[in-house]
């Protein structure tokens, strides 16, 4: 206690010797530490809190506790005061840290520290905040999920578990219908109405899902399913711009995550009001209905063999070993149905994304490369027209090719890439096109329209080369695919030219619709059937056939291959026959129309040629496409 009093007294004497300046520092230090100290009067003893304030405002007190800082500052000031007037000045300087607002190099600036902390907090807030584009596309709050939507999602999961475990076929379309119903109920709850383009996308989605029910070939069916997902995203989001068309399928990922939480919230809100008097009658009715179906279905099946066969074909077969797969399919079906419904209730607003146009160039800077490219295209097309009207012999002699097919093979792929790159050039040219007024717009249309027209001639030349190639070597999956791709690219060029005349507002949806229509036509035409039909016709004309290639075709090719004479027919169908035999019995919901036809053909007219006969004809040999 005596030591503390001495320190306090010396601090008071130091404060009194320093005068008004010291009083100001005492008040400032007291405020910095949060203490309520009164200003010291001249000649009077400063409070103990003043000493603490001097120490805090001075130097080196940042890491000390308030009590320690007060004691140290008071003792230092007392020692300086006992040294005389000069010491009093030194004590004031040491205790206060110098003039207000500008201490020495080792001093503490409270205002600068507070500003630094505020800046750090702002930087952290900006880093944690979502990006500006994510805020723009954020959906509105979804309305509470309806009971009808929950039931439809549950039915979709059950349908997927029961109908998709044995493969894709008509069961896929049946399993998707409850998901469509769930999306419809969610749209009604959100107050959304169907627009003409929405109806077009929905009808196109259902039409594309018919392809797996018709075709046994996996690759057109896969393209159809992917295109159906894209059209479904367009219908559910209601987009109309390029960002919307390109990014809307990714909205299903967000909706799949949020849809589960959305459904869980709806279930929890209903759990409190779902009493026994509400669910018990429903459970009783379902149990009675199931019992009646089992009893009378068993009686009718035992009474008539035909009805038993029909009932067995219609009823899905579920075994214990298939349990994990069925459970997984149930979860996937329910989650996808909830994702579709959640997307309809609160879609991401992809159309709010804006792609900033590039810096407009001058006419000369922009047009010079394109004019040179147009001249190059014009020269190439002139040569193609000259060759088309009788210059083949001269071209073959000058290039060293032995046949038209070899000449066509060399250039088709290059022309396909030229068409694709032309679309890229057009997109970049529109980004940096001059935009000074109506004259610039007419100029851009003229240059790019000429490029599109010349590219259409390139497309025609590529297709003509492919025709020569097929005549010489036959049709294959790859050749029919790339020819279809080239045709669609030509259609896109026509749409771009139309957009230059009538405006480009409708162009993104038109391109998306044309792609879906091309995939639908590709699947309905049956590419494997086309390949088999073309090669059978070629065999009838020149007796050339590649039986080894037919072993990789799907059941869709069976009707055309059935036209071949023996033993070529049996050897051509051997691959399809072995594949169907390995698959065994397939239920109706997993069997496509192509597989049904092939099974019927092979059942009515079994294979006759032996393995040795087919081996002699080259059926099992490897084949390398020229």
């Amino acid at each position: 206690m005596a030591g503390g009093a001495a320190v306090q007294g010396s601090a008071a004497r130091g404060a009194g010797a320093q005068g008004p300046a010291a009083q100001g520092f005492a008040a400032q230090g007291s405020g910095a530490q949060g203490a309520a100290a009164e200003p010291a009067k001249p000649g009077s003893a400063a409070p103990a809190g003043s000493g603490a304030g001097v120490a805090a405002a001075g130097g080196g007190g940042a890491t000390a506790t308030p009590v320690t800082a007060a004691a140290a500052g008071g003792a230092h000031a007392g020692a300086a005061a006992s040294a005389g007037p000069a010491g009093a000045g030194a004590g004031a300087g040491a205790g206060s840290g110098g003039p207000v607002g500008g201490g020495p190099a080792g001093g503490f600036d409270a205002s600068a520290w507070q500003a630094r902390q505020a800046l750090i907090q702002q930087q952290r807030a900006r880093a944690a905040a979502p990006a500006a584009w994510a805020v723009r596309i954020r959906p509105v709050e979804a309305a509470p999920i309806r009971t009808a939507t929950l039931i439809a999602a549950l039915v979709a999961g059950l349908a997927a578990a029961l109908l998709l475990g044995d493969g894709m076929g008509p069961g896929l379309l049946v399993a998707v219908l409850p998901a469509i119903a769930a999306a419809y109920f969610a749209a009604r709850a959100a107050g959304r109405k169907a627009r003409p383009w929405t109806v077009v996308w929905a009808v196109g989605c259902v039409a594309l899902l018919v392809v797996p029910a018709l075709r046994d070939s996996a690759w057109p069916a896969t393209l159809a399913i992917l295109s159906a997902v894209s059209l479904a995203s367009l219908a559910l989001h209601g987009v109309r711009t390029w960002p919307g068309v390109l990014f809307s399928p990714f909205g299903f990922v967000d909706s799949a995550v949020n849809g589960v939480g959305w459904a869980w919230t709806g279930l929890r809100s209903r759990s409190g009001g779902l009493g026994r008097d509400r669910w018990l009658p429903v459970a009783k009715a379902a149990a009675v209905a199931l019992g009646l179906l089992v009893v009378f279905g068993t009686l009718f099946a035992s009474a008539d063999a035909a009805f038993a066969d029909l009932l067995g074909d219609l009823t899905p077969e579920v075994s214990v070993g298939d349990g994990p797969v069925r459970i997984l399919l149930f979860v996937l079906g329910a989650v996808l149905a909830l994702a579709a419904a959640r997307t309809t209730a609160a879609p991401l607003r992809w159309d709010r994304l804006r792609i900033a146009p590039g810096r407009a160039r001058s006419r000369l800077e922009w047009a010079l490369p394109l004019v040179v490219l147009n001249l190059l295209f014009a020269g190439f097309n002139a040569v193609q027209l000259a060759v088309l009207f009788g210059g083949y012999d001269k071209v073959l002699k000058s290039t060293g090719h032995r046949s038209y097919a070899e000449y066509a093979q060399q250039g088709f792929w290059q022309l396909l890439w030229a068409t694709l790159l032309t679309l890229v050039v057009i997109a970049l040219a529109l980004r940096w096109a001059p935009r000074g007024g109506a004259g610039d717009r007419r100029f851009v249309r003229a240059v790019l329209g000429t490029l599109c027209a010349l590219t259409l001639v390139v497309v025609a030349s590529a297709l003509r080369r492919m025709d020569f190639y097929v005549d010489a070597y036959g049709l294959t999956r790859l050749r029919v695919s790339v020819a279809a791709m080239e045709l669609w690219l030509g259609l896109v060029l026509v749409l771009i030219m139309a957009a230059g005349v009538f405006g480009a507002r409708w162009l993104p949806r038109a391109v998306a619709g044309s792609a879906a229509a091309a995939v639908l036509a590709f699947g309905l035409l049956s590419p494997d059937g086309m390949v088999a039909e073309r090669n059978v016709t070629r065999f009838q004309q020149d007796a050339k056939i590649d039986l080894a290639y037919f072993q990789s075709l799907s059941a869709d090719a069976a009707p055309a291959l059935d036209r071949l004479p023996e033993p070529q027919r049996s050897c051509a169908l051997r691959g399809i026959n072995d594949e169907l035999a390995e698959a065994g019995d397939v239920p109706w919901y997993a069997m496509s129309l192509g597989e049904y036809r092939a099974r019927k053909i092979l059942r009515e007219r079994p294979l006759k040629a032996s393995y040795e006969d087919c081996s002699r004809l080259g059926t099992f040999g490897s084949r390398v496409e020229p």
Side-chain angles (χ1 to χ4, degrees):
M1 291 292 296
V7 171
Q8 183 176 356
S10 59
R13 288 193 299 271
Q18 291 166 19
Q23 300 168 17
F25 280 112
Q28 178 183 355
S30 243
Q33 290 294 336
E38 297 180 357
K41 298 180 180 180
S44 65
S50 301
V54 172
T63 59
T65 61
V67 176
T68 307
H76 189 78
S82 62
S96 64
V100 177
F108 176 75
D109 192 344
S111 60
W113 181 83
Q114 293 174 355
R116 175 63 178 170
Q117 294 302 313
L119 179 61
I120 293 174
Q121 294 296 330
Q122 292 176 1
Q123 293 175 348
R124 290 176 179 175
R126 284 195 297 268
W133 66 268
V135 175
R136 280 197 298 271
I137 69 171
R138 182 176 297 168
V140 297
E141 187 68 23
I145 189 170
R146 286 188 173 183
T147 304
T149 305
L150 287 171
I151 295 175
L154 178 63
V155 173
L158 290 174
L162 295 176
L163 301 179
L164 301 183
D166 297 306
M168 298 294 180
L172 177 62
L173 181 58
V174 176
V176 168
L177 292 179
I180 296 176
Y184 172 75
F185 295 141
R188 290 286 300 273
R192 297 183 64 187
K193 296 181 180 179
R195 297 178 179 178
W197 276 103
T198 304
V199 175
V200 170
W201 300 139
V203 173
C205 176
V206 175
L208 285 166
L209 292 177
V210 175
V211 174
L214 298 178
R215 302 296 169 229
D216 180 64
S217 182
W219 55 298
T222 303
L223 285 176
I225 293 173
L226 295 177
S227 300
V229 172
S230 299
L231 289 192
S233 67
L234 298 180
L236 297 178
H237 286 91
V239 295
R240 63 186 65 186
T241 62
W242 280 115
V245 169
L246 295 176
F247 298 130
S248 58
F250 297 100
F252 282 132
V253 179
D254 177 77
S255 297
V257 177
N258 295 329
V260 175
W262 183 49
W264 178 249
T265 303
L267 289 174
R268 291 186 60 185
S269 65
R270 287 166 173 78
S271 61
L274 192 61
R276 181 175 179 178
D277 56 340
R278 299 186 61 183
W279 64 264
L280 187 58
V282 178
K284 288 181 178 180
V288 171
L290 181 60
L292 292 175
L293 286 175
V294 171
V295 172
F296 285 94
T298 303
L299 290 175
F300 290 149
S302 61
D304 188 274
F307 181 78
D309 293 338
L310 177 62
L311 190 62
D313 292 337
L314 294 178
T315 305
E317 296 182 2
V318 180
S319 62
V320 178
D322 295 337
V325 176
R326 304 285 181 175
I327 293 174
L328 178 61
L329 289 174
F330 171 79
V331 173
L332 288 177
V335 168
L336 291 177
L338 289 174
R342 180 62 170 74
T343 303
T344 308
L348 291 172
R349 303 174 181 180
W350 295 107
D351 283 343
R352 292 188 175 184
L353 291 178
R354 292 291 180 264
I355 300 177
R359 184 175 64 88
R361 309 290 178 172
S362 64
R363 289 193 181 186
L364 178 62
E365 182 183 6
W366 178 84
L368 181 60
L370 295 177
V371 171
V372 172
L373 184 62
N374 283 341
L375 293 176
L376 177 63
F377 271 63
F380 177 81
N381 291 335
V383 173
Q384 298 305 299
L385 293 176
V387 171
L388 182 64
F389 290 107
Y392 280 117
D393 294 334
K394 183 178 180 180
V395 170
L396 293 178
K397 291 179 180 179
S398 61
T399 57
H401 293 103
R402 294 174 295 177
S403 64
Y404 299 153
E406 186 178 354
Y407 171 72
Q409 175 193 1
Q410 183 190 30
F412 173 79
W413 296 103
Q414 289 87 336
L415 297 184
L416 177 63
W417 279 108
T419 306
L420 289 170
L421 291 177
T422 301
L423 293 176
V424 176
V425 169
I426 292 173
L428 296 177
L430 289 173
R431 178 174 176 79
W432 290 301
R435 296 181 289 271
D440 284 340
R441 288 193 294 271
R442 288 192 296 268
F443 180 70
V444 170
R445 290 172 184 170
V447 174
L448 294 183
T450 303
L451 180 59
C452 289
L454 294 173
T455 307
L456 285 177
V457 180
V458 173
V459 170
S461 176
L463 293 174
R464 181 59 175 165
R465 286 170 180 260
M466 177 54 69
D467 189 42
F468 282 133
Y469 194 27
V470 170
D471 285 341
Y473 300 108
L475 190 62
T476 63
R477 286 176 168 180
L478 179 61
R479 292 164 194 166
V480 71
S481 300
V482 295
M485 180 70 174
E486 188 74 23
L487 281 172
W488 178 70
L489 292 176
L491 178 59
V492 171
L493 289 169
V494 173
L495 292 175
I496 292 174
M497 295 174 68
V501 177
F502 302 106
R505 184 179 181 86
W506 50 269
L507 184 60
R509 290 178 290 186
V511 172
S514 67
V519 172
L520 178 61
F522 189 70
L524 295 179
L525 291 175
S526 181
D528 278 13
M530 294 173 58
V531 169
E533 185 71 29
R534 184 67 178 266
N535 285 280
V536 168
T537 303
R538 179 169 172 261
F539 173 76
Q540 294 173 348
Q541 293 174 354
D542 54 17
K544 293 181 179 179
I545 194 169
D546 189 349
L547 295 175
Y549 186 74
F550 295 148
Q551 308 309 305
S552 61
L553 296 182
S554 66
D556 298 331
L561 298 179
D562 189 48
R563 294 168 41 208
L564 289 170
E566 292 290 352
Q568 284 81 6
R569 172 190 173 274
S570 295
C571 296
L573 290 172
R574 181 172 289 275
I576 298 175
N577 181 76
D578 294 344
E579 184 177 355
L580 295 180
E582 183 180 356
D585 294 334
V586 178
W588 65 270
Y589 49 83
M591 183 184 299
S592 64
L593 179 62
E595 182 177 350
Y596 172 78
R597 289 178 176 176
R599 288 180 180 272
K600 183 179 179 181
I601 290 173
L602 294 172
R603 183 172 58 252
E604 294 176 353
R605 293 180 295 278
L607 304 185
K608 299 179 180 180
S610 63
Y611 181 88
E612 289 75 13
D613 293 337
C614 293
S615 179
R616 179 173 50 83
L617 294 175
T619 305
F620 310 110
S622 60
R623 180 179 187 275
V624 179
E625 293 188 23

